[in-house]
C-alpha cells in the first residue's frame, strides 16, 4: 500500500481544489452567457443524460488533458510503435488525427512476451487459420461457433494451468463480469480484495450476492471478515450463506503487486470458502515455465477452485478463459450467457493463443519460450531496480512486469506524459477514477521484446522527465563508481 506523505497529500488536494474551484467558476460564467443568449434551454421533456460531478469532472478536468489518453497507433504493439500525431483547435475539447506518426519506445502495452508483433512460429499459422476459418464464425459456441481450434485451445489451456477443463470467452473483461453472476447469486457471499479490477467489481454487483471487501492483499483481514460474516450469516434472516467465494488477482494491474496466494488459500481452506483467482496479468508472464502466480509461489492449482485468465497480455491475442473442475466447466457451458449468446472467439485469435502456448512450452521445437520468460524477468527486475535507484516511488514486487511510478499531483500527469512523448517514449498515465483521487501514477509495462538498449533509452528519458516534473520523491542512489572513489579516498 502507498504511504502518502502529508506534504504531498496537502499539495495534491490543494491542486485538485484549485481545479474544481476554477471549473465551477467557468461553469457559472458559462450559465450567465447562455442565459443572456437564450432565456431558457428547451430539452423538449428529456432529462440530461450526463449529470453531477461525473459530467463536471469530464468537462473541466479530463478534457483538458485528454491528449494524454487514447493515443492512436499505426503499427503492431512491439517494443517500438508508431504513435499518430494529433492536434486540437478548441483547447483540447476535440482532437484531430494527422497523417504523421512518431516512432516511440513502447512502455505502455501488455505485450509481455512479445507475441503481439510478427512471430516466426505464430504468424504463419494465424494467417493459415484466417484462410481456412475466416475472421469470425458468425455464431455462438452452442450453435455453429465451435471449431476444432476452440476445442484444442480449451484442452491446451487446461493442461497449461493444471486444471481438468477450461472454457473460452471472446473478451477478457466479460470473462469476469459474466462468469461471477453465473457462479453465485442471491444468498451467496463474495469477499473481494479492495483493489480488484473493475470487471470483478461489476461481476460481483451483477450477481445479486452480498459483497464484502477486505484490505488489499491482507490475509489477516480476510480471515477477520470471513469469521465475522460466517458468524452473522445472511442479513435479516441470519441463515448460513449458500456459498462463499473469495476473489483475488495474481498480479494487481494498477499496483504491480503479487497476490499473497498461499496465505489466502490457507484462510479459505480453514473457513471452507471457494477461491477465485484472476490471472489476467500473471499467466504467461511469471513463473519458471510461464504458468503464473501458482507456479511462482509454489501453490498447487488444485487448491484454487476457479482460475481465470486472459489472452490479451502474454499471448498477444484477445479473449479469456475459465479453468476449473469438469463439473464447473460443464455447468458454465449450460448456464453462462457469455457462452450461450455471445459470438465465439475469432478462429485466428484462437490459433494465435495455441501457437503462443506451444512456444512457451517448447513444443515448437525451440527454446524461444524459455528465453522469452527469462528475458521478461530480467528486464522487469532490472528496470524496477534502476527506477528505484533514481529516486522514483515505484510500486509492485520483483518479477512483476507492471511497475507504477507515483505522480500524485494532477499537474504532473499531463506534464510527465507529454514530455515523455516529446522525447519518443510512450507511457500510460492513470488517474481518478481508475485510481484513488490522490494516487495518480504512470504505469510502466515491460516486455521480453525490449532490448537492453531500449531499456536504457527508457530509463534515460524517464530520469530526465522525472527531474523536470519533480517526481523523484526519494534521494537517488549514488553511482557505484562514485562510491568506490569515496572508499579509495
Amino acid at each position: 500500500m502507498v504511504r502518502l506523505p502529508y506534504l504531498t497529500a496537502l499539495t495534491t488536494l490543494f491542486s485538485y481544489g484549485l481545479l474544481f474551484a476554477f471549473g465551477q467558476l467557468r461553469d457559472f460564467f458559462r450559465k450567465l452567457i447562455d442565459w443572456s443568449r437564450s432565456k431558457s434551454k428547451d430539452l423538449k421533456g428529456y432529462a440530461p443524460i450526463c449529470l453531477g460531478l461525473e459530467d463536471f469532472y469530464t468537462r473541466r478536468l479530463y478534457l483538458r488533458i485528454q491528449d494524454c489518453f487514447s493515443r492512436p497507433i499505426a503499427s503492431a504493439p512491439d517494443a517500438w510503435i508508431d504513435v499518430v500525431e494529433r492536434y486540437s483547435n478548441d483547447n483540447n475539447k476535440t482532437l484531430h488525427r494527422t497523417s504523421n506518426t512518431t516512432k516511440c519506445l513502447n512502455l505502455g502495452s501488455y505485450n509481455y512476451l512479445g507475441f503481439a508483433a510478427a512471430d516466426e512460429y505464430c504468424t504463419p499459422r494465424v494467417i493459415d487459420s484466417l484462410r481456412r476459418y475466416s475472421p469470425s464464425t458468425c455464431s455462438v459456441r452452442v450453435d455453429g461457433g465451435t471449431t476444432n481450434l476452440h476445442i484444442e485451445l480449451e484442452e491446451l489451456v487446461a493442461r497449461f494451468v493444471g486444471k481438468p477443463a477450461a472454457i473460452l470467452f471472446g473478451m477478457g473483461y466479460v470473462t469476469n463480469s459474466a462468469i461471477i453472476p453465473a457462479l453465485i447469486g442471491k444468498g451467496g457471499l463474495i469477499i473481494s480484495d479492495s483493489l480488484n479490477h473493475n470487471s470483478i467489481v461489476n461481476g460481483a454487483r451483477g450477481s445479486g450476492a452480498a459483497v464484502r471487501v477486505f484490505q488489499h492483499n491482507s490475509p489477516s483481514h480476510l480471515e477477520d471478515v470471513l469469521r465475522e460474516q460466517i458468524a452473522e450469516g445472511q442479513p435479516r434472516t441470519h441463515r448460513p450463506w449458500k456459498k462463499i467465494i473469495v476473489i483475488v488477482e495474481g498480479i494487481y494491474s494498477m499496483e504491480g503487486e503479487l497476490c499473497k496466494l498461499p496465505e489466502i488459500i490457507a484462510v479459505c481452506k480453514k473457513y471452507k470458502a471457494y477461491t477465485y483467482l484472476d490471472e489476467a496479468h500473471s499467466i504467461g508472464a511469471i513463473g519458471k515455465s510461464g504458468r503464473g502466480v501458482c507456479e511462482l509461489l509454489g501453490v498447487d492449482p488444485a487448491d484454487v477452485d476457479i482460475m481465470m485468465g486472459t489472452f490479451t497480455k502474454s499471448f498477444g491475442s484477445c479473449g479469456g478463459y475459465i479453468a476449473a473442475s469438469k463439473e464447473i466447466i460443464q455447468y458454465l457451458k449450460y448456464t453462462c450467457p457469455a457462452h450461450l449468446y455471445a459470438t465465439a472467439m475469432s478462429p485466428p485469435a484462437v490459433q494465435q493463443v495455441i501457437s503462443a502456448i506451444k512456444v512457451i512450452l517448447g513444443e515448437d521445437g525451440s527454446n524461444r519460450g524459455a528465453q522469452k520468460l527469462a528475458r521478461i524477468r530480467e528486464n522487469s527486475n532490472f528496470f524496477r531496480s534502476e527506477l528505484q535507484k533514481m529516486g522514483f516511488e515505484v510500486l509492485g514486487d520483483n518479477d512483476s512486469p507492471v511497475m507504477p511510478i507515483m505522480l500524485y499531483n494532477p499537474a504532473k500527469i499531463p506534464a510527465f506524459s507529454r514530455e515523455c512523448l516529446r522525447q519518443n517514449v510512450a507511457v500510460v498515465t492513470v488517474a481518478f477514477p481508475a485510481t484513488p483521487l490522490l494516487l495518480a501514477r504512470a504505469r510502466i509495462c515491460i516486455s521480453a521484446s525490449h532490448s537492453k538498449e531500449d531499456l536504457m533509452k527508457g530509463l534515460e528519458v524517464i530520469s530526465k522527465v522525472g527531474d523536470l516534473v519533480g517526481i523523484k520523491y526519494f534521494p537517488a542512489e549514488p553511482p557505484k563508481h562514485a562510491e568506490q572513489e569515496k572508499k579509495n579516498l
Side-chain angles (χ1 to χ4, degrees):
M1 296 296 289
V2 182
R3 296 186 180 275
L4 185 59
Y6 288 116
L7 182 59
T8 304
L10 188 64
T11 55
T12 303
L13 280 171
F14 177 77
S15 299
Y16 274 110
L18 208 60
L19 287 169
F20 271 83
F22 274 99
Q24 294 287 356
L25 199 62
R26 292 179 68 185
D27 276 3
F28 173 74
F29 282 110
R30 173 57 58 192
K31 287 178 182 177
L32 286 180
I33 293 170
D34 289 344
W35 180 82
S36 64
R37 289 176 179 173
S38 58
K39 294 295 180 184
S40 64
K41 260 192 171 181
D42 185 13
L43 294 177
K44 298 180 180 178
Y46 289 99
I49 292 177
C50 302
L51 293 173
L53 283 176
E54 290 182 10
D55 177 50
F56 174 82
Y57 184 87
T58 301
R59 289 185 295 103
R60 296 305 184 195
L61 278 79
Y62 172 77
L63 288 181
R64 297 178 63 171
I65 62 171
Q66 72 162 326
D67 60 298
C68 299
F69 309 100
S70 304
R71 286 174 176 149
I73 66 172
S75 64
D78 206 355
W80 289 80
I81 54 176
D82 295 328
V83 179
V84 178
E85 295 179 8
R86 297 180 293 176
Y87 69 93
S88 175
N89 295 323
D90 53 6
N91 298 317
N92 242 22
K93 289 181 181 177
T94 54
L95 295 170
H96 305 279
R97 296 189 304 275
T98 69
S99 58
N100 301 325
T101 60
T102 303
K103 195 171 188 62
C104 296
L105 177 63
N106 181 13
L107 295 180
S109 72
Y110 303 138
N111 183 26
Y112 295 143
L113 294 183
F115 283 118
D119 182 85
E120 61 188 72
Y121 183 82
C122 300
T123 305
R125 286 160 177 78
V126 172
I127 294 172
D128 182 63
S129 70
L130 179 62
R131 293 194 186 102
R132 183 178 177 185
Y133 295 99
S134 87
S136 174
T137 62
C138 296
S139 179
V140 299
R141 287 289 304 276
V142 294
D143 293 336
T146 298
T147 67
N148 57 352
L149 289 179
H150 292 84
I151 297 171
E152 181 183 354
L153 181 55
E154 286 177 339
E155 293 172 351
L156 186 57
V157 165
R159 176 163 63 91
F160 183 65
V161 302
K163 299 297 282 185
I167 182 174
L168 307 180
F169 297 94
M171 182 180 177
Y173 187 96
V174 168
T175 306
N176 275 330
S177 58
I179 280 295
I180 294 173
L183 291 173
I184 191 169
K186 190 175 180 181
L189 172 66
I190 294 173
I191 303 181
S192 178
D193 188 288
S194 61
L195 296 183
N196 273 341
H197 191 263
N198 181 261
S199 60
I200 295 174
V201 174
N202 283 343
R205 287 174 177 170
S207 68
V211 181
R212 301 292 181 268
V213 174
F214 68 96
Q215 293 171 6
H216 172 58
N217 229 0
S218 174
S220 59
H221 189 245
L222 169 63
E223 183 169 7
D224 292 341
V225 173
L226 267 169
R227 188 188 300 115
E228 179 186 349
Q229 292 302 317
I230 290 172
E232 290 184 0
Q234 297 184 41
R236 293 186 296 276
T237 64
H238 301 291
R239 292 176 180 171
W241 298 102
K242 292 180 179 178
K243 71 180 81 167
I244 301 175
I245 297 180
V246 175
I247 305 180
V248 294
E249 294 186 40
I251 291 180
Y252 291 88
S253 59
M254 287 297 173
E255 288 70 36
E257 292 178 353
L258 296 171
C259 173
K260 295 180 180 178
L261 192 59
E263 297 90 336
I264 287 173
I265 287 177
V267 173
C268 291
K269 282 186 174 182
K270 181 178 178 180
Y271 292 93
K272 301 296 186 291
Y274 294 108
T275 310
Y276 183 111
L277 175 63
D278 178 337
E279 286 215 88
H281 287 267
S282 55
I283 192 66
I286 59 174
K288 186 178 179 180
S289 59
R291 286 179 166 88
V293 70
C294 288
E295 182 179 48
L296 182 70
L297 301 179
V299 173
D300 186 350
D303 291 333
V304 181
D305 300 289
I306 309 291
M307 298 181 74
M308 175 269 178
T310 64
F311 305 125
T312 56
K313 282 81 176 176
S314 299
F315 308 106
S317 186
C318 63
Y321 68 85
I322 293 289
S325 66
K326 290 182 179 179
E327 293 79 10
I328 291 175
I329 297 303
Q330 196 68 17
Y331 170 78
L332 291 176
K333 288 182 177 180
Y334 291 149
T335 60
C336 182
H339 180 76
L340 297 172
Y341 304 113
T343 301
M345 189 173 169
S346 170
V350 174
Q351 179 62 61
Q352 167 67 24
V353 183
I354 292 172
S355 303
I357 294 178
K358 287 184 176 180
V359 172
I360 293 171
L361 294 175
E363 294 179 4
D364 64 328
S366 73
N367 65 342
R368 289 196 307 121
Q371 290 176 352
K372 285 176 177 288
L373 290 166
R375 195 178 306 124
I376 189 174
R377 182 168 59 250
E378 292 167 4
N379 286 355
S380 300
N381 292 339
F382 169 74
F383 206 84
R384 182 186 302 279
S385 172
E386 291 301 310
L387 287 175
Q388 291 170 339
K389 289 176 184 177
M390 291 174 183
F392 292 101
E393 184 172 1
V394 185
L395 304 186
D397 297 316
N398 283 338
D399 288 355
S400 169
V402 182
M403 48 200 75
I405 300 174
M406 298 309 297
L407 303 177
Y408 297 120
N409 197 288
K412 296 180 180 181
I413 300 168
F416 183 81
S417 178
R418 289 165 181 166
E419 191 58 35
C420 283
L421 185 65
R422 202 170 287 122
Q423 300 192 40
N424 297 342
V425 173
V427 296
V428 170
T429 51
V430 191
F432 181 83
T435 66
L437 187 68
L438 302 184
L439 301 182
R441 63 200 68 178
R443 184 176 63 179
I444 305 298
C445 292
I446 299 299
S447 170
S449 62
H450 288 131
S451 66
K452 194 68 176 288
E453 291 74 21
D454 295 338
L455 299 180
M456 295 305 297
K457 159 75 174 176
L459 288 167
E460 180 186 352
V461 170
I462 290 174
S463 180
K464 288 179 182 177
V465 176
D467 289 327
L468 183 66
V469 177
I471 56 172
K472 293 184 177 180
Y473 296 103
F474 299 107
E477 185 178 306
K480 288 183 179 179
H481 61 82
E483 290 181 352
Q484 191 64 40
E485 287 178 4
K486 287 182 181 179
K487 288 179 181 179
N488 294 336
L489 292 174

